[in-house]
Every structure is written in structure tokens, then in C-alpha cells.
Short mmCIF file of all heavy atoms in Angstrom, two decimals:
data_model
loop_
_atom_site.label_atom_id
_atom_site.label_comp_id
_atom_site.label_asym_id
_atom_site.label_seq_id
_atom_site.Cartn_x
_atom_site.Cartn_y
_atom_site.Cartn_z
N MET E 1 -117.79 -65.32 60.56
CA MET E 1 -118.72 -64.51 61.30
C MET E 1 -118.09 -63.14 61.53
O MET E 1 -116.97 -63.00 61.97
CB MET E 1 -119.04 -65.16 62.64
CG MET E 1 -120.06 -64.34 63.40
SD MET E 1 -120.39 -64.82 65.02
CE MET E 1 -121.50 -66.05 65.12
N SER E 2 -118.81 -62.08 61.22
CA SER E 2 -118.29 -60.75 61.38
C SER E 2 -118.52 -60.23 62.80
O SER E 2 -119.46 -60.64 63.46
CB SER E 2 -118.95 -59.79 60.38
OG SER E 2 -120.30 -59.66 60.64
N ARG E 3 -117.67 -59.32 63.22
CA ARG E 3 -117.80 -58.76 64.56
C ARG E 3 -118.87 -57.70 64.53
O ARG E 3 -119.02 -56.95 63.56
CB ARG E 3 -116.47 -58.12 64.96
CG ARG E 3 -115.39 -59.15 65.19
CD ARG E 3 -114.06 -58.54 65.56
NE ARG E 3 -114.20 -57.31 66.30
CZ ARG E 3 -113.25 -56.44 66.48
NH1 ARG E 3 -112.06 -56.71 65.99
NH2 ARG E 3 -113.43 -55.34 67.19
N PRO E 4 -119.67 -57.57 65.60
CA PRO E 4 -120.69 -56.53 65.64
C PRO E 4 -120.04 -55.14 65.71
O PRO E 4 -118.95 -55.00 66.23
CB PRO E 4 -121.47 -56.84 66.91
CG PRO E 4 -120.57 -57.70 67.73
CD PRO E 4 -119.68 -58.41 66.78
N ASN E 5 -120.71 -54.18 65.15
CA ASN E 5 -120.19 -52.81 65.21
C ASN E 5 -121.31 -51.87 65.67
O ASN E 5 -122.40 -52.28 65.93
CB ASN E 5 -119.61 -52.38 63.87
CG ASN E 5 -120.60 -52.44 62.75
OD1 ASN E 5 -121.75 -52.03 62.93
ND2 ASN E 5 -120.18 -52.90 61.58
N ILE E 6 -121.00 -50.59 65.71
CA ILE E 6 -121.92 -49.61 66.23
C ILE E 6 -123.17 -49.44 65.37
O ILE E 6 -124.19 -48.96 65.84
CB ILE E 6 -121.19 -48.25 66.45
CG1 ILE E 6 -122.03 -47.33 67.28
CG2 ILE E 6 -120.88 -47.63 65.09
CD1 ILE E 6 -121.29 -46.11 67.75
N PHE E 7 -123.10 -49.81 64.10
CA PHE E 7 -124.22 -49.64 63.20
C PHE E 7 -125.12 -50.88 63.12
O PHE E 7 -125.94 -50.99 62.24
CB PHE E 7 -123.71 -49.30 61.78
CG PHE E 7 -122.88 -48.04 61.79
CD1 PHE E 7 -121.54 -48.07 61.43
CD2 PHE E 7 -123.45 -46.83 62.16
CE1 PHE E 7 -120.81 -46.91 61.42
CE2 PHE E 7 -122.69 -45.65 62.17
CZ PHE E 7 -121.37 -45.71 61.78
N GLN E 8 -125.00 -51.82 64.08
CA GLN E 8 -125.84 -52.98 64.11
C GLN E 8 -126.71 -53.00 65.35
O GLN E 8 -126.30 -52.53 66.40
CB GLN E 8 -124.98 -54.24 64.06
CG GLN E 8 -124.29 -54.46 62.75
CD GLN E 8 -123.43 -55.70 62.79
OE1 GLN E 8 -122.95 -56.11 63.83
NE2 GLN E 8 -123.24 -56.31 61.62
N GLU E 9 -127.90 -53.55 65.19
CA GLU E 9 -128.78 -53.75 66.32
C GLU E 9 -128.35 -54.97 67.09
O GLU E 9 -127.39 -55.66 66.73
CB GLU E 9 -130.24 -53.94 65.81
CG GLU E 9 -130.80 -52.77 65.05
CD GLU E 9 -131.20 -51.61 65.96
OE1 GLU E 9 -131.23 -51.78 67.18
OE2 GLU E 9 -131.45 -50.55 65.40
N SER E 10 -129.05 -55.28 68.18
CA SER E 10 -128.66 -56.40 69.01
C SER E 10 -128.81 -57.75 68.27
O SER E 10 -128.14 -58.71 68.61
CB SER E 10 -129.49 -56.42 70.29
OG SER E 10 -130.87 -56.47 69.94
N ASP E 11 -129.68 -57.79 67.26
CA ASP E 11 -129.85 -59.05 66.49
C ASP E 11 -128.96 -59.06 65.22
O ASP E 11 -129.20 -59.83 64.32
CB ASP E 11 -131.30 -59.24 66.09
CG ASP E 11 -131.83 -58.12 65.19
OD1 ASP E 11 -131.11 -57.13 64.96
OD2 ASP E 11 -132.98 -58.27 64.71
N ASN E 12 -127.95 -58.19 65.20
CA ASN E 12 -126.99 -58.07 64.10
C ASN E 12 -127.56 -57.53 62.80
O ASN E 12 -126.93 -57.58 61.77
CB ASN E 12 -126.25 -59.38 63.82
CG ASN E 12 -125.29 -59.73 64.95
OD1 ASN E 12 -124.81 -58.87 65.65
ND2 ASN E 12 -125.06 -61.04 65.12
N SER E 13 -128.78 -56.98 62.85
CA SER E 13 -129.34 -56.33 61.65
C SER E 13 -128.78 -54.91 61.57
O SER E 13 -128.35 -54.33 62.55
CB SER E 13 -130.86 -56.31 61.69
OG SER E 13 -131.29 -55.54 62.80
N PHE E 14 -128.80 -54.33 60.39
CA PHE E 14 -128.26 -53.01 60.13
C PHE E 14 -129.19 -51.97 60.77
O PHE E 14 -130.39 -52.02 60.66
CB PHE E 14 -128.14 -52.78 58.62
CG PHE E 14 -127.59 -51.43 58.27
CD1 PHE E 14 -126.27 -51.13 58.45
CD2 PHE E 14 -128.40 -50.46 57.74
CE1 PHE E 14 -125.76 -49.90 58.10
CE2 PHE E 14 -127.94 -49.23 57.40
CZ PHE E 14 -126.62 -48.94 57.59
N SER E 15 -128.59 -50.96 61.44
CA SER E 15 -129.39 -49.92 62.10
C SER E 15 -129.28 -48.61 61.34
O SER E 15 -128.24 -47.92 61.41
CB SER E 15 -128.89 -49.71 63.54
OG SER E 15 -129.58 -48.64 64.15
N MET E 16 -130.34 -48.28 60.62
CA MET E 16 -130.36 -47.03 59.86
C MET E 16 -130.37 -45.84 60.82
O MET E 16 -129.77 -44.79 60.52
CB MET E 16 -131.58 -46.97 58.94
CG MET E 16 -131.60 -45.74 58.08
SD MET E 16 -130.10 -45.61 57.09
CE MET E 16 -130.74 -46.06 55.51
N ARG E 17 -131.03 -45.94 61.96
CA ARG E 17 -131.08 -44.85 62.90
C ARG E 17 -129.66 -44.51 63.42
O ARG E 17 -129.34 -43.35 63.55
CB ARG E 17 -131.96 -45.21 64.12
CG ARG E 17 -133.44 -45.25 63.75
CD ARG E 17 -134.21 -45.70 64.95
NE ARG E 17 -133.76 -47.05 65.26
CZ ARG E 17 -134.45 -47.93 65.93
NH1 ARG E 17 -135.64 -47.61 66.36
NH2 ARG E 17 -134.02 -49.14 66.20
N ARG E 18 -128.89 -45.50 63.72
CA ARG E 18 -127.55 -45.25 64.20
C ARG E 18 -126.66 -44.64 63.13
O ARG E 18 -125.85 -43.76 63.40
CB ARG E 18 -126.93 -46.55 64.73
CG ARG E 18 -127.63 -47.00 65.98
CD ARG E 18 -127.03 -48.28 66.50
NE ARG E 18 -127.81 -48.74 67.65
CZ ARG E 18 -127.53 -49.82 68.33
NH1 ARG E 18 -126.47 -50.56 67.98
NH2 ARG E 18 -128.26 -50.20 69.35
N LEU E 19 -126.82 -45.11 61.90
CA LEU E 19 -126.07 -44.53 60.80
C LEU E 19 -126.44 -43.08 60.60
O LEU E 19 -125.60 -42.21 60.42
CB LEU E 19 -126.27 -45.34 59.50
CG LEU E 19 -125.60 -44.76 58.27
CD1 LEU E 19 -124.08 -44.82 58.42
CD2 LEU E 19 -126.02 -45.49 57.03
N LEU E 20 -127.76 -42.78 60.58
CA LEU E 20 -128.20 -41.40 60.38
C LEU E 20 -127.78 -40.51 61.56
O LEU E 20 -127.42 -39.36 61.34
CB LEU E 20 -129.71 -41.36 60.22
CG LEU E 20 -130.22 -41.91 58.90
CD1 LEU E 20 -131.76 -41.94 58.91
CD2 LEU E 20 -129.70 -41.09 57.75
N ALA E 21 -127.78 -41.03 62.79
CA ALA E 21 -127.35 -40.25 63.93
C ALA E 21 -125.85 -39.90 63.76
O ALA E 21 -125.43 -38.77 64.02
CB ALA E 21 -127.55 -40.99 65.19
N PHE E 22 -125.06 -40.85 63.29
CA PHE E 22 -123.62 -40.62 63.06
C PHE E 22 -123.45 -39.57 61.96
O PHE E 22 -122.64 -38.63 62.11
CB PHE E 22 -122.94 -41.92 62.67
CG PHE E 22 -121.52 -41.71 62.21
CD1 PHE E 22 -120.53 -41.44 63.11
CD2 PHE E 22 -121.19 -41.80 60.88
CE1 PHE E 22 -119.22 -41.25 62.71
CE2 PHE E 22 -119.89 -41.60 60.44
CZ PHE E 22 -118.90 -41.33 61.36
N LEU E 23 -124.21 -39.68 60.89
CA LEU E 23 -124.09 -38.72 59.78
C LEU E 23 -124.52 -37.31 60.21
O LEU E 23 -123.87 -36.33 59.86
CB LEU E 23 -124.86 -39.17 58.58
CG LEU E 23 -124.31 -40.41 57.85
CD1 LEU E 23 -125.24 -40.81 56.72
CD2 LEU E 23 -122.92 -40.14 57.33
N PHE E 24 -125.59 -37.20 60.99
CA PHE E 24 -126.04 -35.89 61.43
C PHE E 24 -125.04 -35.29 62.42
O PHE E 24 -124.87 -34.06 62.42
CB PHE E 24 -127.44 -35.96 62.05
CG PHE E 24 -128.56 -35.84 61.05
CD1 PHE E 24 -129.26 -36.94 60.66
CD2 PHE E 24 -128.82 -34.60 60.47
CE1 PHE E 24 -130.27 -36.83 59.72
CE2 PHE E 24 -129.81 -34.51 59.53
CZ PHE E 24 -130.55 -35.61 59.17
N ALA E 25 -124.39 -36.11 63.23
CA ALA E 25 -123.35 -35.55 64.11
C ALA E 25 -122.18 -35.02 63.28
O ALA E 25 -121.62 -33.97 63.58
CB ALA E 25 -122.88 -36.65 65.06
N LEU E 26 -121.80 -35.75 62.25
CA LEU E 26 -120.73 -35.30 61.38
C LEU E 26 -121.10 -34.02 60.64
O LEU E 26 -120.32 -33.08 60.54
CB LEU E 26 -120.40 -36.44 60.39
CG LEU E 26 -119.14 -36.26 59.53
CD1 LEU E 26 -117.90 -36.21 60.38
CD2 LEU E 26 -119.06 -37.42 58.57
N VAL E 27 -122.32 -33.99 60.11
CA VAL E 27 -122.80 -32.79 59.41
C VAL E 27 -122.87 -31.60 60.36
O VAL E 27 -122.52 -30.47 59.95
CB VAL E 27 -124.19 -33.06 58.78
CG1 VAL E 27 -124.89 -31.79 58.38
CG2 VAL E 27 -124.07 -34.00 57.61
N SER E 28 -123.28 -31.81 61.57
CA SER E 28 -123.37 -30.73 62.55
C SER E 28 -122.00 -30.09 62.78
O SER E 28 -121.85 -28.87 62.78
CB SER E 28 -123.93 -31.26 63.85
OG SER E 28 -123.81 -30.30 64.88
N PHE E 29 -121.02 -30.95 62.96
CA PHE E 29 -119.67 -30.45 63.21
C PHE E 29 -119.13 -29.67 62.02
O PHE E 29 -118.62 -28.56 62.13
CB PHE E 29 -118.76 -31.63 63.54
CG PHE E 29 -117.35 -31.24 63.87
CD1 PHE E 29 -117.06 -30.61 65.07
CD2 PHE E 29 -116.32 -31.48 63.00
CE1 PHE E 29 -115.75 -30.24 65.40
CE2 PHE E 29 -115.02 -31.13 63.28
CZ PHE E 29 -114.74 -30.50 64.50
N VAL E 30 -119.27 -30.23 60.82
CA VAL E 30 -118.78 -29.58 59.61
C VAL E 30 -119.54 -28.30 59.30
O VAL E 30 -118.91 -27.28 58.97
CB VAL E 30 -118.81 -30.57 58.41
CG1 VAL E 30 -118.51 -29.88 57.09
CG2 VAL E 30 -117.85 -31.72 58.65
N ALA E 31 -120.85 -28.33 59.42
CA ALA E 31 -121.67 -27.12 59.15
C ALA E 31 -121.32 -25.99 60.11
O ALA E 31 -121.23 -24.83 59.72
CB ALA E 31 -123.15 -27.46 59.23
N GLY E 32 -121.14 -26.33 61.37
CA GLY E 32 -120.76 -25.30 62.35
C GLY E 32 -119.39 -24.72 62.07
O GLY E 32 -119.21 -23.48 62.15
N LEU E 33 -118.45 -25.56 61.74
CA LEU E 33 -117.12 -25.05 61.43
C LEU E 33 -117.11 -24.20 60.17
O LEU E 33 -116.46 -23.15 60.12
CB LEU E 33 -116.12 -26.23 61.27
CG LEU E 33 -115.73 -26.91 62.56
CD1 LEU E 33 -114.74 -28.06 62.23
CD2 LEU E 33 -115.08 -25.96 63.55
N LEU E 34 -117.83 -24.65 59.15
CA LEU E 34 -117.89 -23.87 57.90
C LEU E 34 -118.54 -22.50 58.12
O LEU E 34 -118.07 -21.50 57.58
CB LEU E 34 -118.65 -24.64 56.82
CG LEU E 34 -117.86 -25.73 56.11
CD1 LEU E 34 -118.74 -26.49 55.14
CD2 LEU E 34 -116.66 -25.16 55.39
N SER E 35 -119.62 -22.47 58.86
CA SER E 35 -120.26 -21.18 59.10
C SER E 35 -119.39 -20.27 59.93
O SER E 35 -119.38 -19.06 59.71
CB SER E 35 -121.63 -21.38 59.74
OG SER E 35 -121.52 -22.00 61.00
N ALA E 36 -118.66 -20.80 60.87
CA ALA E 36 -117.72 -19.96 61.63
C ALA E 36 -116.58 -19.48 60.76
O ALA E 36 -116.14 -18.33 60.86
CB ALA E 36 -117.21 -20.76 62.85
N TYR E 37 -116.09 -20.37 59.92
CA TYR E 37 -114.97 -20.01 59.03
C TYR E 37 -115.37 -18.92 58.03
O TYR E 37 -114.59 -18.03 57.72
CB TYR E 37 -114.50 -21.25 58.27
CG TYR E 37 -113.41 -21.00 57.28
CD1 TYR E 37 -112.10 -20.73 57.70
CD2 TYR E 37 -113.68 -20.99 55.92
CE1 TYR E 37 -111.09 -20.47 56.78
CE2 TYR E 37 -112.69 -20.75 54.99
CZ TYR E 37 -111.39 -20.50 55.43
OH TYR E 37 -110.41 -20.24 54.53
N LYS E 38 -116.62 -18.99 57.55
CA LYS E 38 -117.10 -18.00 56.59
C LYS E 38 -117.49 -16.69 57.24
O LYS E 38 -117.90 -15.75 56.56
CB LYS E 38 -118.30 -18.56 55.84
CG LYS E 38 -117.99 -19.75 54.98
CD LYS E 38 -117.21 -19.35 53.74
CE LYS E 38 -117.02 -20.52 52.84
NZ LYS E 38 -116.30 -20.16 51.63
N GLY E 39 -117.43 -16.59 58.57
CA GLY E 39 -117.73 -15.36 59.26
C GLY E 39 -119.20 -15.06 59.42
O GLY E 39 -119.63 -13.90 59.41
N ALA E 40 -120.01 -16.10 59.56
CA ALA E 40 -121.46 -15.93 59.73
C ALA E 40 -121.74 -15.33 61.12
O ALA E 40 -120.91 -15.33 62.02
CB ALA E 40 -122.15 -17.26 59.57
N SER E 41 -122.96 -14.86 61.23
CA SER E 41 -123.38 -14.31 62.54
C SER E 41 -123.46 -15.46 63.58
O SER E 41 -123.56 -16.63 63.19
CB SER E 41 -124.75 -13.60 62.41
OG SER E 41 -125.75 -14.55 62.10
N TRP E 42 -123.51 -15.08 64.83
CA TRP E 42 -123.53 -16.11 65.87
C TRP E 42 -124.83 -16.92 65.80
O TRP E 42 -124.85 -18.11 66.14
CB TRP E 42 -123.31 -15.51 67.27
CG TRP E 42 -124.47 -14.69 67.75
CD1 TRP E 42 -124.64 -13.34 67.60
CD2 TRP E 42 -125.60 -15.16 68.47
NE1 TRP E 42 -125.81 -12.96 68.16
CE2 TRP E 42 -126.45 -14.03 68.73
CE3 TRP E 42 -126.01 -16.41 68.92
CZ2 TRP E 42 -127.64 -14.14 69.40
CZ3 TRP E 42 -127.23 -16.50 69.60
CH2 TRP E 42 -128.01 -15.38 69.84
N GLN E 43 -125.93 -16.32 65.33
CA GLN E 43 -127.18 -17.04 65.20
C GLN E 43 -127.07 -18.14 64.12
O GLN E 43 -127.55 -19.25 64.35
CB GLN E 43 -128.33 -16.11 64.82
CG GLN E 43 -128.67 -15.10 65.90
CD GLN E 43 -128.03 -13.76 65.67
OE1 GLN E 43 -127.01 -13.65 64.98
NE2 GLN E 43 -128.54 -12.73 66.30
N ALA E 44 -126.44 -17.80 63.01
CA ALA E 44 -126.25 -18.83 61.95
C ALA E 44 -125.34 -19.94 62.43
O ALA E 44 -125.56 -21.10 62.08
CB ALA E 44 -125.70 -18.17 60.71
N ILE E 45 -124.30 -19.60 63.18
CA ILE E 45 -123.39 -20.64 63.71
C ILE E 45 -124.14 -21.53 64.68
O ILE E 45 -123.99 -22.77 64.66
CB ILE E 45 -122.16 -19.98 64.34
CG1 ILE E 45 -121.33 -19.26 63.29
CG2 ILE E 45 -121.31 -21.03 65.07
CD1 ILE E 45 -120.21 -18.40 63.87
N ALA E 46 -124.96 -20.93 65.55
CA ALA E 46 -125.71 -21.71 66.52
C ALA E 46 -126.70 -22.67 65.82
O ALA E 46 -126.83 -23.82 66.21
CB ALA E 46 -126.49 -20.78 67.46
N VAL E 47 -127.34 -22.19 64.75
CA VAL E 47 -128.29 -23.07 64.02
C VAL E 47 -127.51 -24.15 63.28
O VAL E 47 -127.96 -25.28 63.23
CB VAL E 47 -129.12 -22.21 63.03
CG1 VAL E 47 -129.89 -23.07 62.07
CG2 VAL E 47 -130.09 -21.35 63.81
N SER E 48 -126.33 -23.80 62.72
CA SER E 48 -125.55 -24.78 62.00
C SER E 48 -125.11 -25.95 62.91
O SER E 48 -125.07 -27.10 62.49
CB SER E 48 -124.32 -24.14 61.40
OG SER E 48 -124.69 -23.18 60.45
N PHE E 49 -124.75 -25.63 64.12
CA PHE E 49 -124.38 -26.67 65.09
C PHE E 49 -125.63 -27.33 65.67
O PHE E 49 -125.66 -28.53 65.91
CB PHE E 49 -123.56 -26.10 66.25
CG PHE E 49 -122.09 -26.01 65.95
CD1 PHE E 49 -121.46 -24.77 65.96
CD2 PHE E 49 -121.33 -27.15 65.71
CE1 PHE E 49 -120.11 -24.69 65.70
CE2 PHE E 49 -119.98 -27.06 65.46
CZ PHE E 49 -119.36 -25.81 65.45
N GLY E 50 -126.68 -26.53 65.91
CA GLY E 50 -127.81 -26.99 66.71
C GLY E 50 -128.77 -27.91 66.01
O GLY E 50 -129.14 -28.95 66.59
N ILE E 51 -129.25 -27.58 64.83
CA ILE E 51 -130.29 -28.38 64.18
C ILE E 51 -129.81 -29.80 63.87
O ILE E 51 -130.48 -30.77 64.27
CB ILE E 51 -130.78 -27.70 62.88
CG1 ILE E 51 -131.39 -26.32 63.20
CG2 ILE E 51 -131.75 -28.59 62.10
CD1 ILE E 51 -132.61 -26.37 64.04
N PRO E 52 -128.65 -30.01 63.27
CA PRO E 52 -128.20 -31.39 63.06
C PRO E 52 -127.89 -32.11 64.40
O PRO E 52 -128.10 -33.31 64.53
CB PRO E 52 -126.94 -31.26 62.23
CG PRO E 52 -127.04 -29.94 61.58
CD PRO E 52 -127.77 -29.09 62.55
N SER E 53 -127.40 -31.36 65.38
CA SER E 53 -127.11 -31.98 66.69
C SER E 53 -128.38 -32.47 67.38
O SER E 53 -128.43 -33.56 67.93
CB SER E 53 -126.37 -31.00 67.59
OG SER E 53 -125.12 -30.70 67.08
N LEU E 54 -129.43 -31.66 67.32
CA LEU E 54 -130.70 -32.06 67.91
C LEU E 54 -131.28 -33.27 67.17
O LEU E 54 -131.86 -34.17 67.82
CB LEU E 54 -131.69 -30.91 67.90
CG LEU E 54 -131.38 -29.76 68.85
CD1 LEU E 54 -132.38 -28.62 68.64
CD2 LEU E 54 -131.39 -30.24 70.28
N THR E 55 -131.14 -33.31 65.88
CA THR E 55 -131.61 -34.47 65.10
C THR E 55 -130.84 -35.70 65.50
O THR E 55 -131.41 -36.78 65.66
CB THR E 55 -131.45 -34.21 63.60
OG1 THR E 55 -132.14 -32.99 63.29
CG2 THR E 55 -132.01 -35.32 62.79
N CYS E 56 -129.52 -35.56 65.67
CA CYS E 56 -128.68 -36.66 66.11
C CYS E 56 -129.13 -37.19 67.49
O CYS E 56 -129.26 -38.41 67.67
CB CYS E 56 -127.23 -36.23 66.17
SG CYS E 56 -126.08 -37.41 66.87
N ILE E 57 -129.34 -36.32 68.41
CA ILE E 57 -129.77 -36.70 69.77
C ILE E 57 -131.12 -37.41 69.70
O ILE E 57 -131.34 -38.42 70.37
CB ILE E 57 -129.81 -35.48 70.66
CG1 ILE E 57 -128.41 -35.00 70.96
CG2 ILE E 57 -130.55 -35.78 71.99
CD1 ILE E 57 -128.31 -33.65 71.64
N LEU E 58 -132.04 -36.92 68.86
CA LEU E 58 -133.36 -37.53 68.75
C LEU E 58 -133.26 -38.93 68.14
O LEU E 58 -133.87 -39.88 68.67
CB LEU E 58 -134.26 -36.67 67.85
CG LEU E 58 -135.68 -37.14 67.66
CD1 LEU E 58 -136.43 -37.03 68.98
CD2 LEU E 58 -136.35 -36.33 66.59
N LEU E 59 -132.44 -39.11 67.13
CA LEU E 59 -132.28 -40.45 66.53
C LEU E 59 -131.61 -41.40 67.53
O LEU E 59 -132.00 -42.56 67.63
CB LEU E 59 -131.42 -40.35 65.26
CG LEU E 59 -132.13 -39.72 64.08
CD1 LEU E 59 -131.13 -39.40 62.98
CD2 LEU E 59 -133.21 -40.63 63.57
N LEU E 60 -130.62 -40.95 68.26
CA LEU E 60 -129.96 -41.80 69.26
C LEU E 60 -130.93 -42.17 70.39
O LEU E 60 -130.88 -43.25 70.90
CB LEU E 60 -128.67 -41.14 69.78
CG LEU E 60 -127.54 -41.09 68.81
CD1 LEU E 60 -126.37 -40.28 69.41
CD2 LEU E 60 -127.07 -42.49 68.46
N PHE E 61 -131.79 -41.24 70.77
CA PHE E 61 -132.79 -41.50 71.78
C PHE E 61 -133.70 -42.65 71.39
O PHE E 61 -133.94 -43.57 72.16
CB PHE E 61 -133.63 -40.24 72.10
CG PHE E 61 -134.83 -40.54 72.95
CD1 PHE E 61 -134.64 -40.73 74.31
CD2 PHE E 61 -136.08 -40.57 72.41
CE1 PHE E 61 -135.76 -40.99 75.11
CE2 PHE E 61 -137.18 -40.87 73.20
CZ PHE E 61 -137.02 -41.06 74.54
N PHE E 62 -134.20 -42.62 70.13
CA PHE E 62 -135.10 -43.67 69.68
C PHE E 62 -134.36 -45.02 69.60
O PHE E 62 -134.96 -46.05 69.87
CB PHE E 62 -135.70 -43.30 68.34
CG PHE E 62 -136.81 -42.28 68.46
CD1 PHE E 62 -136.77 -41.14 67.73
CD2 PHE E 62 -137.87 -42.50 69.32
CE1 PHE E 62 -137.78 -40.19 67.83
CE2 PHE E 62 -138.89 -41.56 69.43
CZ PHE E 62 -138.85 -40.39 68.70
N THR E 63 -133.10 -45.01 69.20
CA THR E 63 -132.37 -46.25 69.19
C THR E 63 -132.17 -46.80 70.59
O THR E 63 -132.36 -47.98 70.86
CB THR E 63 -130.97 -46.04 68.51
OG1 THR E 63 -131.19 -45.64 67.17
CG2 THR E 63 -130.15 -47.30 68.54
N THR E 64 -131.80 -45.93 71.51
CA THR E 64 -131.61 -46.35 72.88
C THR E 64 -132.93 -46.79 73.51
O THR E 64 -132.98 -47.72 74.28
CB THR E 64 -130.99 -45.21 73.70
OG1 THR E 64 -129.80 -44.78 73.05
CG2 THR E 64 -130.64 -45.65 75.11
N TRP E 65 -134.00 -46.08 73.20
CA TRP E 65 -135.31 -46.43 73.74
C TRP E 65 -135.73 -47.84 73.37
O TRP E 65 -136.22 -48.60 74.21
CB TRP E 65 -136.37 -45.41 73.20
CG TRP E 65 -137.70 -45.65 73.77
CD1 TRP E 65 -138.73 -46.38 73.18
CD2 TRP E 65 -138.23 -45.17 74.99
NE1 TRP E 65 -139.81 -46.38 73.98
CE2 TRP E 65 -139.55 -45.65 75.11
CE3 TRP E 65 -137.71 -44.41 76.01
CZ2 TRP E 65 -140.34 -45.35 76.19
CZ3 TRP E 65 -138.50 -44.11 77.12
CH2 TRP E 65 -139.79 -44.58 77.19
N THR E 66 -135.51 -48.26 72.13
CA THR E 66 -135.89 -49.62 71.73
C THR E 66 -134.99 -50.64 72.42
O THR E 66 -135.46 -51.73 72.76
CB THR E 66 -135.83 -49.80 70.22
OG1 THR E 66 -134.53 -49.46 69.75
CG2 THR E 66 -136.86 -48.91 69.52
N ASP E 67 -133.69 -50.33 72.58
CA ASP E 67 -132.80 -51.25 73.27
C ASP E 67 -133.23 -51.43 74.75
O ASP E 67 -133.23 -52.53 75.25
CB ASP E 67 -131.35 -50.76 73.21
CG ASP E 67 -130.75 -50.89 71.84
OD1 ASP E 67 -131.33 -51.61 71.01
OD2 ASP E 67 -129.71 -50.23 71.60
N ILE E 68 -133.58 -50.36 75.40
CA ILE E 68 -134.00 -50.42 76.80
C ILE E 68 -135.32 -51.21 76.89
O ILE E 68 -135.50 -52.02 77.80
CB ILE E 68 -134.12 -49.01 77.40
CG1 ILE E 68 -132.72 -48.41 77.55
CG2 ILE E 68 -134.83 -49.07 78.74
CD1 ILE E 68 -132.75 -46.93 77.94
N ALA E 69 -136.22 -50.96 75.98
CA ALA E 69 -137.51 -51.66 75.99
C ALA E 69 -137.30 -53.15 75.77
O ALA E 69 -138.01 -53.98 76.39
CB ALA E 69 -138.44 -51.07 74.93
N GLN E 70 -136.38 -53.55 74.94
CA GLN E 70 -136.11 -54.95 74.73
C GLN E 70 -135.54 -55.60 75.98
O GLN E 70 -135.88 -56.74 76.33
CB GLN E 70 -135.14 -55.14 73.56
CG GLN E 70 -135.79 -54.96 72.23
CD GLN E 70 -134.82 -55.11 71.09
OE1 GLN E 70 -133.60 -55.20 71.30
NE2 GLN E 70 -135.32 -55.15 69.87
N VAL E 71 -134.65 -54.88 76.65
CA VAL E 71 -134.04 -55.43 77.88
C VAL E 71 -135.07 -55.61 78.97
O VAL E 71 -135.09 -56.64 79.68
CB VAL E 71 -132.87 -54.55 78.35
CG1 VAL E 71 -132.41 -54.93 79.72
CG2 VAL E 71 -131.73 -54.61 77.37
N THR E 72 -135.95 -54.64 79.11
CA THR E 72 -136.95 -54.73 80.18
C THR E 72 -138.17 -55.59 79.81
O THR E 72 -139.00 -55.86 80.65
CB THR E 72 -137.46 -53.31 80.56
OG1 THR E 72 -138.03 -52.69 79.41
CG2 THR E 72 -136.31 -52.48 81.12
N GLY E 73 -138.24 -56.00 78.53
CA GLY E 73 -139.33 -56.84 78.10
C GLY E 73 -140.61 -56.09 77.80
O GLY E 73 -141.67 -56.71 77.65
N ASN E 74 -140.56 -54.78 77.63
CA ASN E 74 -141.76 -54.01 77.34
C ASN E 74 -142.06 -53.86 75.86
O ASN E 74 -143.05 -53.27 75.47
CB ASN E 74 -141.66 -52.60 77.95
CG ASN E 74 -141.65 -52.67 79.47
OD1 ASN E 74 -142.24 -53.56 80.05
ND2 ASN E 74 -140.98 -51.73 80.07
N LEU E 75 -141.20 -54.38 75.00
CA LEU E 75 -141.39 -54.27 73.58
C LEU E 75 -141.84 -55.60 73.02
O LEU E 75 -141.19 -56.63 73.22
CB LEU E 75 -140.06 -53.83 72.90
CG LEU E 75 -140.15 -53.50 71.40
CD1 LEU E 75 -141.04 -52.28 71.21
CD2 LEU E 75 -138.78 -53.25 70.85
N LYS E 76 -142.97 -55.61 72.36
CA LYS E 76 -143.49 -56.86 71.79
C LYS E 76 -142.89 -57.06 70.42
O LYS E 76 -142.73 -56.13 69.66
CB LYS E 76 -145.01 -56.79 71.68
CG LYS E 76 -145.66 -56.71 73.03
CD LYS E 76 -147.15 -56.71 72.88
CE LYS E 76 -147.78 -56.63 74.31
NZ LYS E 76 -149.21 -56.63 74.23
N LYS E 77 -142.60 -58.30 70.12
CA LYS E 77 -142.02 -58.61 68.79
C LYS E 77 -143.06 -58.98 67.81
O LYS E 77 -144.05 -59.50 68.05
CB LYS E 77 -140.99 -59.75 68.93
CG LYS E 77 -139.77 -59.29 69.68
CD LYS E 77 -138.74 -60.38 69.68
CE LYS E 77 -137.50 -59.91 70.43
NZ LYS E 77 -136.45 -60.81 70.36
#
């Protein structure tokens, strides 16, 4: 039996939302650093960090929302 990890749902199924949130967080960090390293304007740096970060937060919100709904019993199976 394998140990549960961050990329699994409560029923041990694979969570694509969590994987995508992790990837967008990683992309956000790398894109922001690359744009700063290349000497981009502050607007480009803000967008490089911001757009993937907002996507990450949105994906994590939906994952957390379903977990909370399951705990409170408001989600029908």
C-alpha cells in the first residue's frame, strides 16, 4: 500500500487540479525570475509572477472547496 501524497484526493485518486496548481506555482516563480533577469519592465515582471500565481490560487481554491464540501456533507456523490 502506498502512502498518500499531496497529489492525491481523499479517496487516493490522482488529483489533476493539485498537480496543475503545483506546476503553475513553479512556472510563476521561474517566469518571474527570468523576466527580472532579462531586465524586463516592472509591468512584465508583475504579469510573469501574477498570471500563473492567480491560476495556482484558483486551482487550489477549487480543490479545497471540494474537500470542505465533502467534510460538511454538502457535496453529493
